[in-house]
Amino acid sequence: MNAPNQSGWKPQMEVADATGEMVTTTGNRALMLEEPLIFEIGHAETTGVDLPEVDEAAPSRLGGLEREEPIGLVGLTEPETVRHYTRLSRQNYGIDLGFFPLGSCTMKHNPRLNEKMARLPGFADIHPLAPQSSVQGALEVIYQLAEWLKTLTGMPAVAMSPKAGAHGELCGILAIRAALTAAGNPREVVLVPESAHGTNPATAAFAGYKVENIPATPEGRVDVEALKARLAPDVAAVMITNPNTCGLFEKDFRTIADAVHEVGGYVYCDGANFNAIVGRVRPGDLGVDAMHINLHKTFSTPHGGGGPGSGPVVFSEALQAYAPLPFVRRGEDGTFELVEEETREKSRGQTFGRMTAFHGQMGMFTRALTYMLSHGADGLKQVAEDAVLNANYILRSLEDILHAPFADSGPCMHEALFGDKDFGGGLSTLDLAKGLIDEGYHPMTVYFPLVVHGAMLVEPTETESKASIDQFITAFRHVTERALAGDEALKQAPYFAPRRRLDETAAARKPKLAWEAPAE
Amino acid sequence: MNAPNQSGWKPQMEVADATGEMVTTTGNRALMLEEPLIFEIGHAETTGVDLPEVDEAAPSRLGGLEREEPIGLVGLTEPETVRHYTRLSRQNYGIDLGFFPLGSCTMKHNPRLNEKMARLPGFADIHPLAPQSSVQGALEVIYQLAEWLKTLTGMPAVAMSPKAGAHGELCGILAIRAALTAAGNPREVVLVPESAHGTNPATAAFAGYKVENIPATPEGRVDVEALKARLAPDVAAVMITNPNTCGLFEKDFRTIADAVHEVGGYVYCDGANFNAIVGRVRPGDLGVDAMHINLHKTFSTPHGGGGPGSGPVVFSEALQAYAPLPFVRRGEDGTFELVEEETREKSRGQTFGRMTAFHGQMGMFTRALTYMLSHGADGLKQVAEDAVLNANYILRSLEDILHAPFADSGPCMHEALFGDKDFGGGLSTLDLAKGLIDEGYHPMTVYFPLVVHGAMLVEPTETESKASIDQFITAFRHVTERALAGDEALKQAPYFAPRRRLDETAAARKPKLAWEAPAE
Amino acid sequence: MRYLPLTDTDREEMLAKCGASSIDDLFVDVPEVARLDGPIRDLPMHASEMAVERHMKELAGKNLAAEATPFFLGAGAYRHHIPASVDTVISRGEFLTAYTPYQPEIAQGTLQMLFEFQTQVARLYGCAVANASLYDGSTACWEAVAMATRVTRRNRAVLSGSLHPHYAQVVKTMAQFTGDEIATAQPAITPEPNLDTLTSRIDEDTACVVVQYPDILGRVCDLSTVAEAAHAKGALLVVVNTEPVALGALKSPGEMGADIVVGEGQALGVGLQFGGPYLGLFAVRDPKHVRQMPGRLCGETVDAEGKRGFVLTLSTREQHIRREKATSNICTNSGLCALAFTTHMTLLGEKGLRQLAAENHRLACLAADRLEKVPGVSLLNHAFFNEFTVMLEGKPAREIVRDLADRGILGGVSLGRLYPGVEALEHALLVAVTENTTEDEIETLASELEAVLTQETQMEPAQ
Amino acid sequence: MRYLPLTDTDREEMLAKCGASSIDDLFVDVPEVARLDGPIRDLPMHASEMAVERHMKELAGKNLAAEATPFFLGAGAYRHHIPASVDTVISRGEFLTAYTPYQPEIAQGTLQMLFEFQTQVARLYGCAVANASLYDGSTACWEAVAMATRVTRRNRAVLSGSLHPHYAQVVKTMAQFTGDEIATAQPAITPEPNLDTLTSRIDEDTACVVVQYPDILGRVCDLSTVAEAAHAKGALLVVVNTEPVALGALKSPGEMGADIVVGEGQALGVGLQFGGPYLGLFAVRDPKHVRQMPGRLCGETVDAEGKRGFVLTLSTREQHIRREKATSNICTNSGLCALAFTTHMTLLGEKGLRQLAAENHRLACLAADRLEKVPGVSLLNHAFFNEFTVMLEGKPAREIVRDLADRGILGGVSLGRLYPGVEALEHALLVAVTENTTEDEIETLASELEAVLTQETQMEPAQ
Ligand SMILES: Cc1ncc(COP(=O)(O)O)c(C=O)c1O
Ligand SMILES: Cc1ncc(COP(=O)(O)O)c(C=O)c1O
């Protein structure tokens, strides 16, 4: 296809700017640049690589399955490719640009040394099935990281292979189910607080359990009495997030754990918020049986616009034997061994199986280990303390104008939770969030947890300076005042972003999920 | 200093946007972010590195010259540093963002393989004075690049050490002066066309020559007759840019060269525009005695916001012996040798000396060699052809509405030259340039060359697609029509850039060239 | 601490604002039992970048990087040349340090990229719709089985014997808890997969049949008959692909009637990375199945000014809305790997991908022919793309692989490692070849293999 | 061609628009004699990224990277640890692929960075104003001499004997054409530089005296007396610094009365790079000299809305305005190296720079003490920062350096290489130590040096 492009896309598109004035013929606004789809500028004949021309006469052993029809792909040369993605990137907000207080997501700075180390050929260019003698350094990375995680959590075992938090949750619940099954009865129910992240109930259901809600107290914590009342031999496990999604530490976790253990159940802890306590509290001391750790949160492996993550799961004595394969063991001679199905007999005889092909998110392991070595035990403790201090500072700097439902429940942990009470003119949390976008911020998490109306969950993390947080507070107060005053203009925000508010309803009504050449 | 910052800089700054509406309290406009100076957010006590605390008691052998007074520097942690420079970078325009037709500057795409190769420890982490046996690969890079340059230009020798084009000019003129001096008389005058780049006369003057202008013909080329008329034994050299800065090929270059040689003078060719002819024409065939090559133009080493560059100079037989030190020689045994003062006796006995410490811009050499190997002889020829085709396409697509003084002088080379004739309402080239900024483009070179009123020199380079150039033409026509129509609004452009027009007069009247803490 | 901006003065001022006299006041809710006095013992203290870099480089130095040796490993992870500009793109802070695009007005970069990615994957697979990525091929395989059970309301899945054993393991692991029944088999060591035995296992209770293409032995064959057989019984055909480059030369699964196509996308843009992070690809041929898909979907829409824009859509399938009724529990996926994949694919384009596939096949044919000439080596496959199985006489393949490694050659994957205890596979070696393989390296493998095979058997140290 | 977007169809359409039947029509103005028919012969054709990468890696592999060996080289180029984030910053496309900021409204990133850079350099040097960079230290040194002649309207420069010989060479090379007179001398091998002999060479025709600090032998001493002597005669003091880290511990040249301070900035952010690109620093103590400075200057101003912004200013000094009357012919400078320098300096800050300097000095003292214990080695310097000179008995230092290199140690720079033919310096070895040097490496150097010195002399292959 050699037409200028496949879609008849015209390079110019008359578009007015936010204020309806100052039209540019390109639709660009100086450095705020429009960018078409690759399918609108690429060609089937264009390529950004220099490979030998296909020799049609060459012998083929494809069993007569040659692909004859056009695939429908287009290519760009390197200059066009670099520019296309650079322009797209400029329509994105990231931690590198500014404050990104997305509650429950721990958007902390991603150290660049970690990126550099992960790219060393010795880590990036090795095959998962290479003879183990040729990858001792890689196995040692996994081993060292595992040791750090066990020590930081005070737990005896860890499964490294889960690919993200939710995968870790599954890993933990499966181990619990395996243990219960081995004991004769997998049981039926997993108890989950209303305030829990969606992955908790979804995971329990995926593992074949019935999910029941645990009520919360007015102060935003698990209602221990109600929970105890529900505990019975049909309860396989409770899944509790601690610090919880309201940003509070579950004071009575230990009591809960003991009660659950009493009825023969297990305690799963969602460790997504580990950043608040890392280096200061060991979940193992709280009676946890299984907990996943999001390396892409607490240990700063980059979120990358939605992943990849890594969700190792630490286990108590009781569950250790059921952990999945593979894992790394250090031999007497100091060499490292990857224990797979092949060698399973050697241990974890009761392993419930395998979570994924190969051995987990190596690229994240190297980053997380680099992060841990950089911070050390003292630095990690400081991480938790500064994260919690920043969150409390924000809570106390905003509670006077913004509804803070749990402000009286004591100090918050690493995130501050607010609600949209008293907003004027029918304005909502969403409007405030969009107003913050114009001010140059990524909004906090909105409408989660579900237990608070118009919830706004603000997680500053420890990598923000006081000056940065002070500016955010000023901006947040400014927009909040507009919201309380019912400022109409806020309904239209954002004004300055690459796009105004997008029509999500239309998107869902008749989904357009792939590009199609417009009919001639 | 532990105050939040040293300047009392307030994180918030009420600023209206372009249209005077939609104030944000931060001054940010969504992804268009304001950023203070490091001195306004940094602290003397803050640092982004982890080094041992200074031990005041440690033995000092500084001869009692300890620095007692504060230096006055501030530090930022890594998160703040990465964000500071990322935010600043977003206030910049670069080739990666869009079309950058800055005439005479050859803003072509910078291949990323080149960046990767230059960062290999084997190139980036070696010392210029390391024993030569330990840096044979580096010497081979210089040698191979030198061979490429000699072959592409058809010249017998090359000096690799000049740091940029202007430095190369100096190198060439000094070699000429050395040759003339050796012949008994350095002579007094260097002839330079009015259309020449400012570095040409500046260089000649720096080398102790009197500069005289060569007049141009109405069609934009050197006036050969006038030049011949002026040639005399006092003329040391002529400096001619070919293709010239009007974007034309100097047809009569060979004739001129012969005439100059007849009176015992030398021909210096400014090779900044080599991109138009690389792989298609060898300057050596035109009678050139010395020519610099901007590796940061033709051979795509990045401009980096103003450098570094690299300006190797090729020499004719006549000048070869006077070339500066050092240079790389290949021994019979295939080993490479760096010839320095130490070993000068071995050759270039008459070298005029040394242009710089060490051996030149190695980091640019690796990039340029990578570029050459990628393109090859066929690719480089295509580079010149596509660069010239793109420029002519622009010339012919705009000449109907924009004054193109030399449109009838035949095809242009790699750049198209226009003037601001017939603009309405007192609008000028500058206004058109600022209008293009709003449209999402970096303007062309303006007011150079001096021979054309309100000159606009458009150099597309070969790394732009037709779609990209078509969109530019559309935008350019749009803004040109506004200029011809005398559209008042254009006087205020740009509207959407990080800053509106800046007051350069005020800047020069009382220069503020360093930050100073505001008086309390 | 180079990553922690708060100064001591900041901390004091902020504690004061919080009415706290010390940081401990903010941790009062932590029960006594769980409080630690100082930094955790048995762990090192913070270290400079220089020191950490030394440590990590030392560890990296203990691994034999593929670039440093003749390399023939595959079995679900392939080593292709990744253009330098891919790393430039994924290193852009705006991509690297962004979160899932929950605020679309300032996430159009990620969203448009995902829309382009979904389109590329759908077309590569010959499907209508692809999602925004899953963890990896193996988990995508399980998600496909789970989806098939939802679509068909049946709970029995038939896995081909020549499905990657790790993938089969993952499916079986998950199924044992969901109560789904998984019918598996061992790969038959035949030049061509026996589709009849496979189709014969499909019955009225079968939700789906899962086939790998090319399969774990590198074999390729037309799956249309399997599709027909499955559809005849009201079951879905799930096709698994672990080498996307193959589809630049081979008919797409969609063209052969696959209902769900899943696979591993690591081969493009992502690299080996010792097994992760990788990229799970997931697509469906029939748009009507979209609402049963797992994972995120990016869709086109318009903004308040009518400009085209992109958003995450159909979220009512997902855990954050649907909770226990979600189609999957996945949240974080493989966003940045998807970016690497789509960037590489954009650089290739239709032309480049076909050239890349052709070059891989050319070299693989070369290697197969050459290895067959080695005494004691026989080629199993009739057809293959860039990976094939050879049977070795004498020692088990696992020992041969170690012998070759001792000679600095990564000669292939022994099926014995993947199928511990399966006699029939002990002597099978899986050899993969890509554009990165030189003809010299093929020659080296052949001659070294010959040397190893002919040297009299001797005990090797355990791997 | 992966870098050339035009398709053949594009080319046809565009040629048509230009009224050309073939590309040759656009090159008609090239005289017959100079036309080439095909691609230039004797050069290879285009190659894939994979092939080029192989070739370049092979060349890189032939060099002994400093990170791979005990390393003690200095003499104007120093190896410090560069934080990883520096490369992140200079790799941002908006910085990397920008040109000189001629359009300030869309170049505020580069301009503000330069303003911050100028401020840092001025403060480091103890000066009022610094420019936006020159090529490197050696050319900055010549520019300083040239500026001094403009300011004083005199044309004689006195160079200290302990100025880096390459710098002296560059100054002499330039001066021979400008007619300026350059008085040079050899470095005297004394524990301290003899300032009296230097000041005695200053007379009424002297435009400036040029002194390096720390000097080429690593020596440091108070230059106030030289400043006074120079000023007494109406001459300027030019101080050259090749190791900016030293000024984190040592009094600044400005404090000692230097009028112009120039130096090499490579040590911070830029790296070794076999000698280039490097970073020329240039500053003046007295603002009144600003209009005689070479190179670009970035200044603060406001935009039409009153917002603070930055522009290139005082351009009437420069070639593009002043042409033959410009203060220098420089155009392209070292912008990206300035960015690397300023980023590294921002990461250090006052505290980090002082810590870095202290650590360098601590290790250098350690090394000096240890090497002095080696039989046949004596320390020359009384005072030094992170580099010092040792005198070796027996073989010339140049051979010792080669012997050490053969043992995989880069033990220092032999002054013999810098001063060919100068007897007195034949046995002098310049040893540099930075935070990158480990105490083990110092021990290794000492013991290997001992081994080399004691082994009986034998002919070495020419370097
Ligand atoms: C509280 C909580 N639990 C679980 C998860 C799921 O983790 P992941 O996204 O890594 O699967 C998240 C992440 O958003 C979370 O915030
Ligand atoms: C025609 C011409 N000559 C000389 C130069 C000077 O080259 P450099 O900037 O590399 O010193 C330039 C660069 O702008 C130029 O365009």
Side-chain angles (χ1 to χ4, degrees), chain B residues 15 48 61 65 67 71-72 85 92 125-126 134 137 221 303 305-306 342 352 356 378 386 434 499 503, chain D residues 11 29 46 63 66 79 98-99 103 105 110 123-124 136 176 249 251 274 301 308 333 347 350 369 398:
Chain B
V15 178
R61 291 158 81 165
L65 291 172
R67 188 165 193 168
I71 303 170
Y85 291 105
N92 256 18
D125 194 23
I126 53 177
S134 72
R221 295 191 169 91
H303 286 258
E342 179 177 16
F352 70 73
T356 170
D378 52 338
D386 286 357
K434 302 304 183 190
R499 287 291 178 270
D503 188 341
Chain D
R11 294 187 179 106
D29 290 335
H46 74 275
N63 302 318
R79 179 168 187 265
Y99 199 74
Q103 297 287 345
E105 297 86 355
T110 294
R123 292 179 172 199
L124 184 70
D136 72 349
Q176 68 187 311
K251 233 185 217 34
F274 202 55
T301 185
R308 175 174 71 187
N333 56 22
L347 282 162
E350 177 108 13
D369 293 341
R398 310 194 28 239

Side-chain angles (χ1 to χ4, degrees), chain A residues 126-447:
Chain A
I126 54 177
H127 192 283
L129 297 177
Q132 298 192 18
S133 59
S134 71
V135 290
Q136 283 293 302
L139 297 176
E140 188 171 352
V141 165
I142 298 177
Y143 183 85
Q144 284 187 10
L145 182 59
E147 290 304 306
W148 273 88
L149 292 173
K150 288 189 290 182
T151 311
L152 287 170
T153 55
M155 307 276 279
V158 61
M160 298 298 290
S161 60
K163 298 261 169 183
H167 206 221
E169 292 173 30
L170 199 52
C171 177
I173 295 297
L174 293 187
I176 289 170
R177 187 169 182 124
L180 288 167
T181 309
N185 173 4
R187 303 190 173 193
E188 297 82 43
V189 178
V190 169
L191 302 179
V192 180
E194 301 162 69
S195 60
H197 190 266
T199 50
N200 294 184
T203 296
F206 232 58
Y209 283 111
K210 197 163 141 310
V211 177
E212 281 183 35
N213 274 333
I214 310 173
T217 62
E219 68 159 10
R221 296 192 168 90
V222 169
D223 182 332
V224 185
E225 291 324 309
L227 173 62
K228 281 188 177 162
R230 174 60 186 87
L231 287 177
D234 66 334
V235 174
V238 296
M239 290 182 90
I240 299 181
T241 309
N242 194 22
N244 71 25
T245 60
C246 299
L248 302 173
F249 192 89
E250 292 288 355
K251 294 181 180 178
D252 308 317
F253 197 96
R254 176 94 236 179
T255 326
I256 295 169
D258 297 342
V260 173
H261 290 148
E262 231 156 69
V263 299
Y266 288 94
V267 177
Y268 185 89
C269 178
D270 181 327
N273 297 339
F274 191 46
N275 202 54
I277 56 173
V278 61
R280 258 195 86 109
V281 178
R282 287 178 310 198
D285 299 335
L286 294 168
V288 169
D289 291 300
M291 178 179 99
H292 75 265
I293 296 160
N294 308 65
L295 296 186
H296 48 297
K297 296 182 178 182
T298 310
F299 299 109
S300 90
T301 71
H303 286 259
S310 182
V313 180
V314 287
F315 288 110
S316 62
E317 290 290 353
L319 294 179
Q320 178 162 12
Y322 303 94
L325 299 171
F327 64 94
V328 175
R329 182 217 324 275
R330 177 186 214 126
E332 290 66 27
D333 62 351
T335 61
F336 296 90
E337 179 196 10
L338 185 72
V339 179
E340 306 172 293
E341 286 75 0
E342 181 177 10
T343 35
R344 67 183 291 176
E345 55 283 349
K346 290 189 192 165
S347 80
R348 289 205 190 166
Q350 297 156 283
T351 175
F352 70 74
R354 169 181 280 278
M355 294 295 299
T356 172
F358 310 126
H359 338 304
Q361 308 286 64
M362 184 65 183
M364 305 296 114
F365 298 160
T366 49
R367 289 173 173 87
L369 181 59
T370 304
Y371 178 88
M372 289 174 176
L373 292 166
S374 295
H375 284 78
D378 52 338
L380 290 174
K381 180 165 175 292
Q382 193 66 57
V383 161
E385 293 173 356
D386 286 356
V388 168
L389 178 56
N390 283 347
N392 278 277
Y393 181 70
I394 288 174
L395 176 63
R396 299 314 168 189
S397 303
L398 291 173
E399 62 183 343
D400 61 325
I401 57 165
L402 203 56
H403 173 57
F406 305 126
D408 303 333
S409 309
C412 65
M413 289 282 97
H414 66 310
E415 42 197 4
L417 180 59
F418 303 97
D420 64 359
K421 207 149 140 298
D422 306 328
F423 281 12
L427 291 171
S428 69
T429 288
L430 187 71
D431 302 309
L432 189 151
K434 302 304 184 189
L436 279 173
I437 288 176
D438 278 334
E439 293 284 355
Y441 293 101
H442 191 288
M444 57 281 146
T445 289
V446 292
Y447 303 108

Side-chain angles (χ1 to χ4, degrees), chain D residues 142-154:
Chain D
W142 158 248
E143 293 279 10
V145 170
M147 171 171 162
T149 62
R150 289 194 299 273
V151 170
T152 60
R153 297 210 171 63
R154 303 174 178 180

Side-chain angles (χ1 to χ4, degrees), chain D residues 152-173:
Chain D
T152 60
R153 297 210 171 63
R154 303 174 178 180
N155 71 343
R156 178 165 183 277
V158 174
L159 308 195
S160 146
S162 45
L163 171 65
H164 192 297
H166 282 180
Y167 287 42
Q169 266 299 326
V170 170
V171 172
K172 279 188 289 185
T173 299

